[in-house]
Amino acid sequence: MYKINDNYQKLPGSYLFSNIAKKVAAFSEQNPDADIIRLGIGDVTQPIAPAMIEAMHKAVDEMADAKTFRGYAPDLGYPFLREAIAEKDYKARGCDIDISEIFVSDGAKSDSGNIQEIFAQDNRIAVCDPVYPVYVDSNVMAGRTGVYNEKTQMWSNVIYMPCTAENNFVPEFPKETPDIIYLCLPNNPTGTTLTKDQLQMWVDYANKNGAIIIYDAAYEAYISEDNVAHSIYECEGAKTCAIELRSFSKNAGFTGVRLGFTVVPKDIKCAGVSLNSMWARRHGTKFNGAPYIVQRAGEAVYSDAGQAQIKEQVGYYMNNAKVIYTGLKDAGYQVFGGVNAPYIWLKTPENMTSWDFFDFLLEKANVVGTPGSGFGPSGEGYFRLTAFGSYENSVRALERIKAL
């Protein structure tokens, strides 16, 4: 008789954003006339910019002609996209990344969940707390996290690195030595980040301790400060200890189009085994490649027109972030983020729990956010708002919150 993967049964409840969707749906059913403003999930609202739309239209026409039709994409992605990535994202910043180290995918979420497959089950992971849920949940599914404690909301085999206002949301080196370290910078959910010097210390720590860093740089396009690295490979020694995940979802609005990539340097080896080769084998076996049409759109992101257009969209969202951040601060809230990331992280008022504040905002202001506790135990007492809504809705949501 067949057996199931029991590790799935260890996962507590549903995925965070599924829970939020259910709560909002129930509220909408009971209050059909409520004008709900959604600043919870980090989904973009601006349309895809013209340069990318034009590239997709052209690629669609190519698919209608036998001479230019494309079938399966190359395992690692089309060279035209990987060459653009290598040149514009890395060489332009002084990072020596070859196209053979770039693996095109359907998004950073998929890669962040799948990358753990190339590591042994007895590796110990370290995560910032609070953290993007996929990092932990995918390791739960793999049987790597131990036993879940409902009281502490922690897994016995996970090393947690608390990031709170007390340490300026900067993770500190853990007392126990991890094998795999997850870093998301700029951070989701706190919207904060590390300086280049602070990130260099993590690279040095990983190399010294034989650890690997899984570096999620999905929000690098939102960095505005000069002393913050856009890629971990700006740090000396990162090519021997770091795998970087990138996404087109937030910088180019591809949340519904799906495109991303992962960089696995050939210099990363474990007992003589190349992680680049392992990921190439996994990628080629389990993934058939992002669509040609989408990869052409990704290439257009790096054109002069594409760069100007996505810069304008990023500016639009960051203006929303500034409006929300400033408004909440003026209203007396303790607020973080919103400078190098499109997320605002706030302390809940009057010692409310994160979910209590969620319910309060939904019921009294018809505004949806994300409870901080959904990102980990250190997120309790905090709340995340996204700047990815429209400017008008961001202003309206802020007015409603101020009126409470």
Side-chain angles (χ1 to χ4, degrees), residues 1-310:
M1 183 176 179
Y2 69 86
K3 298 179 180 178
I4 62 170
N5 181 349
D6 287 332
N7 294 313
Y8 279 69
Q9 307 309 305
K10 298 176 183 177
L11 289 165
S14 301
Y15 183 57
L16 170 61
F17 297 105
S18 298
N19 280 338
I20 291 173
K22 290 175 184 176
K23 274 181 166 282
V24 175
F27 179 83
S28 296
E29 186 175 347
Q30 295 171 6
N31 303 272
D33 296 328
D35 177 22
I36 298 174
I37 299 175
R38 302 169 190 268
L39 299 181
I41 189 169
D43 194 3
V44 296
T45 54
Q46 295 296 296
I48 294 173
M52 282 66 85
I53 291 294
E54 182 180 348
M56 283 193 280
H57 279 300
K58 182 179 178 181
V60 168
D61 290 338
E62 289 180 36
M63 298 296 275
D65 187 334
K67 295 179 181 178
T68 52
F69 172 80
R70 307 292 180 106
Y72 289 124
D75 283 356
L76 274 63
Y78 284 101
F80 60 75
L81 176 56
R82 289 158 52 226
E83 287 169 359
I85 291 169
E87 186 64 36
K88 299 296 179 69
D89 281 332
Y90 294 103
K91 288 184 173 60
R93 297 191 180 279
C95 306
D96 183 22
I97 297 296
D98 187 76
I99 69 166
S100 62
E101 298 171 313
I102 298 168
F103 298 78
V104 175
S105 71
D106 60 354
K109 181 177 183 179
S110 300
D111 287 350
S112 64
N114 293 330
I115 194 68
Q116 52 77 29
E117 289 187 22
I118 66 174
F119 299 102
Q121 192 177 45
D122 59 355
N123 279 295
R124 291 202 68 186
I125 69 166
V127 296
C128 294
D129 175 30
V131 72
Y132 182 46
V134 173
Y135 308 150
V136 175
D137 287 359
S138 59
N139 279 282
V140 174
M141 294 171 178
R144 196 174 284 118
T145 54
V147 179
Y148 183 70
N149 185 320
E150 290 189 14
K151 185 176 181 180
T152 63
Q153 297 184 337
M154 292 183 173
W155 294 90
S156 61
N157 205 39
V158 173
I159 299 171
Y160 292 87
M161 302 180 292
C163 297
T164 64
E166 286 68 34
N167 62 7
N168 294 316
F169 301 98
V170 174
E172 299 171 359
F173 298 136
K175 294 179 181 178
E176 301 174 86
T177 303
D179 301 300
I180 302 170
I181 303 165
Y182 285 84
L183 294 178
C184 176
L185 298 168
N187 185 259
N188 177 16
T190 66
T192 57
T193 192
L194 303 183
T195 65
K196 288 181 181 179
D197 289 342
Q198 290 171 327
L199 184 57
Q200 181 67 60
M201 291 172 66
W202 277 100
V203 170
D204 295 342
Y205 173 87
N207 277 320
K208 178 182 177 181
N209 290 283
I212 193 85
I213 295 174
I214 308 298
Y215 190 79
D216 188 344
Y219 299 94
E220 65 81 25
Y222 292 83
I223 293 171
S224 63
E225 296 180 317
D226 292 336
N227 65 339
V228 177
H230 287 255
S231 168
I232 196 169
Y233 303 118
E234 293 178 45
C235 295
E236 185 177 353
K239 287 188 67 175
T240 59
C241 70
I243 293 172
E244 183 165 286
L245 315 177
R246 288 286 191 100
S247 170
F248 288 81
S249 287
K250 308 303 165 62
N251 66 335
F254 281 22
T255 53
V257 176
R258 308 309 306 150
L259 188 66
F261 63 90
T262 288
V263 177
V264 185
K266 291 183 177 179
D267 291 344
I268 304 179
K269 295 182 180 179
C270 180
V273 177
S274 166
L275 269 63
N276 179 281
S277 297
M278 290 184 69
W279 186 241
R281 186 68 171 87
R282 191 267 171 207
H283 206 64
T285 300
K286 293 191 174 185
F287 185 61
N288 262 339
Y292 171 72
I293 296 165
V294 175
Q295 293 197 47
R296 278 299 186 191
E299 178 191 28
V301 168
Y302 296 99
S303 67
D304 290 343
Q307 288 290 289
Q309 290 163 10
I310 66 170

